[in-house]
Amino acid sequence: MQKEISFSMEKGDAHEQDDDDGRVRRTGTLMSASAHIITAVIGSGVLSLAWCFGQLDCYRSPDPVNGTRNYNYMQAVKANLGGLQYKFCGVAQYGILIGATIGYTITSAISMAAIKRSNCFHKHSHHTGYHTLNNSYLIIFAVIEIVLSQIPNFHKLSIISIVATIMSFTYATIGIALSIAKIAGGHPRTSLTGIPVGKDMPSVEKMWSTFSAIGDIAFAYSFCPVLLEIQDTLKSSPPENKVMKRASTVGVSASTLFYLICGTLGYAAFGNDAPGNYLTGFGFYEPFWLIDFGNLCIVIHLLGAYQVYVQPFFAFVESWSKEKWPRNKFIVREYSLGKFKIKIFRLTWRSSYVVLATLVAMVFPFFNSFLGLIGATTFWPLTVYFPIEMYISQAKILKNSFTWIWMKVLSLACLIVSLVAAAGSIRGLIVSVETLKLFHSVS
């Protein structure tokens, strides 16, 4: 009888607008959680699976089913590891989230510009660059994001993430299909170790390229900073940890399948001359309309991915502001406009954030290189260290036991990967700065 009462309280009455903890009623499902994960993963390493299995049971503490909710990554770290590491986690988490939104802004502009270039190539020839400034495309992306940023919280992103997931699978499928067509037309030069060391690839350059490649692979699954926020959207029945494990399996498995197919077929199609991006790097020129559609899908996907990454930061700033100035009408007052509820503070601050992020993208067109450095430095703590330490703490793993030892070895191995990737990113950043032109992002 007691279990039934407890379950009823947790579930809440059907007519209630709030959940048992007073927050907006959670309506997330396996499908929406999987969509959030895929949206965050595709387009953004395999090594983060260790984080997933360690983190999934940290949503509630101390009991994974009936314990107190940890609404975000920082709270989970604070509940399991203490205050100092909690602060370090916050700097790392929000640093990568902010960096990702700026990176997505740049990437989207490049895809928009690629549509124009594709049409020019089709009408004229492939031998002329048809390069164009990206500023107008950056502004277009920013205007759309200002509108989308008024979505009040992560719980309302389900439709956007589902659409973004469809788009990510669509442009991945286009890349696969075009790769198969190119493979059928010939067999480019390939090798077991990629581009061989020689006249065109000095040994030092090969080393840096290898470091960068390792970093790209390691960060390919970088949804860990928003995983708990995704889990916080789920209904409490069935238990969130069980649904989240299934959602992670679906999301990561689907993403991995597409990654493997795109990677192997892409290399088979282009060999050692593979471009940095199938669609924006013009590994293909025809059919031009398919290239255009693929780039459009990238833009739509990144519009959604931007929100998946920025909503936790929005929530953090707004929650902190409300606690700091609880009686400030500008911050707390909400106005009704038909079915919509508007907060002037939310409208002002979120719009300002998007504008500032866009300005950074315009001023520093090489920001993707800087983002690589942010990703390298935050990969180990967010994806590996904190999850493993939380799992050891929560599961009470004995020091020097077999499980404790192999987890520490895994953490050390991933730290080495992170350091190697950081070195490659720093080198790429130095090269990018040498050719810097402010407000001169060109595709």
Side-chain angles (χ1 to χ4, degrees), residues 17 25 33 38 42 66 68 97 99 159 186 194 205 229 231 236 252 300 316-317 324 328 330 372 384 393 422:
Q17 295 299 314
R25 188 168 180 79
I38 293 173
I42 294 185
N66 298 314
T68 303
L97 294 183
I159 298 299
E205 186 67 29
E229 282 78 0
Q231 188 164 351
S236 56
V252 173
I300 296 174
F316 168 75
V317 172
K324 186 77 172 178
N328 188 306
F330 174 70
V384 183
S393 173

Side-chain angles (χ1 to χ4, degrees), residues 150 330 343-354:
Q150 305 316 311
F330 174 70
K343 283 186 177 180
I344 301 301
F345 173 65
R346 182 171 64 204
L347 176 64
T348 304
W349 124 254
R350 293 189 179 193
S351 299
S352 299
Y353 173 86
V354 175

Side-chain angles (χ1 to χ4, degrees), residues 87-215:
K87 294 178 181 178
F88 174 48
C89 171
V91 172
Q93 181 186 11
Y94 294 122
I96 190 64
L97 294 183
I98 293 170
T101 60
I102 299 172
Y104 286 161
T105 302
I106 295 172
T107 305
S108 296
I110 292 172
S111 287
M112 291 185 207
I115 294 175
K116 180 179 180 180
R117 295 183 67 200
S118 174
N119 293 332
C120 289
F121 288 141
H122 176 71
K123 291 179 180 178
H124 304 288
S125 71
H126 303 165
H127 303 292
T128 307
Y130 299 109
H131 297 293
T132 180
L133 281 173
N134 292 336
N135 290 346
S136 59
Y137 303 114
L138 291 168
I139 293 172
I140 292 172
F141 184 82
V143 170
I144 299 173
E145 285 299 350
I146 286 175
V147 176
L148 293 179
S149 292
Q150 305 316 311
I151 295 172
N153 53 56
F154 209 112
H155 302 269
K156 306 297 183 182
L157 292 180
S158 296
I159 298 299
I160 288 180
S161 282
I162 290 172
V163 172
T165 297
I166 294 171
M167 293 298 102
S168 62
F169 284 147
T170 300
Y171 68 71
T173 301
I174 290 173
I176 292 170
L178 292 174
S179 294
I180 292 174
K182 191 170 182 66
I183 292 171
H187 300 283
R189 184 166 60 100
T190 60
S191 63
L192 183 62
T193 58
I195 302 175
V197 174
K199 181 180 179 181
D200 297 329
M201 176 61 70
S203 57
V204 174
E205 186 67 29
K206 176 68 174 180
M207 178 188 70
W208 290 120
S209 297
T210 301
F211 285 178
S212 296
I214 291 173

Side-chain angles (χ1 to χ4, degrees), residues 217-343:
I217 294 171
F219 311 136
Y221 290 74
S222 56
F223 66 100
C224 55
V226 295
L227 190 57
L228 270 186
E229 282 78 0
I230 293 173
Q231 188 164 351
D232 191 45
T233 67
L234 295 174
K235 295 181 288 188
S236 56
S237 179
E240 301 96 340
N241 63 327
K242 293 184 179 180
V243 176
M244 198 61 190
K245 285 181 180 179
R246 292 175 60 193
S248 290
T249 300
V250 172
V252 173
S253 298
S255 302
T256 299
L257 177 63
F258 271 85
Y259 279 170
L260 286 173
I261 294 174
C262 286
T264 54
L265 289 181
Y267 185 60
F270 296 103
N272 296 334
D273 296 323
N277 182 300
Y278 285 178
L279 302 178
T280 62
F282 290 96
F284 314 99
Y285 290 95
E286 299 291 343
F288 79 99
W289 58 267
L290 190 58
I291 308 298
D292 291 352
F293 182 63
N295 278 299
L296 178 62
C297 290
I298 292 175
V299 174
I300 296 174
H301 168 234
L302 292 181
L303 284 168
Y306 186 108
Q307 288 302 311
V308 169
Y309 273 84
V310 81
Q311 282 289 343
F313 183 60
F314 285 162
F316 168 75
V317 172
E318 288 160 18
S319 176
W320 178 84
S321 299
K322 189 175 181 180
E323 291 179 5
K324 186 77 172 178
W325 302 286
R327 297 183 181 180
N328 188 306
K329 294 181 179 180
F330 174 70
I331 293 176
V332 301
R333 179 170 289 180
E334 193 172 58
Y335 301 91
S336 295
L337 188 64
K339 295 182 179 180
F340 300 98
K341 293 182 178 180
I342 298 176
K343 283 186 177 180

Side-chain angles (χ1 to χ4, degrees), residues 9-12 16-27 69 234-236:
M9 290 176 63
E10 174 65 21
K11 185 178 179 181
E16 290 181 355
Q17 295 299 314
D18 296 334
D19 225 322
D20 62 293
D21 57 352
R23 294 203 169 200
V24 177
R25 188 168 180 79
R26 295 164 177 83
T27 58
R69 283 185 172 99
L234 295 174
K235 295 181 288 188
S236 56

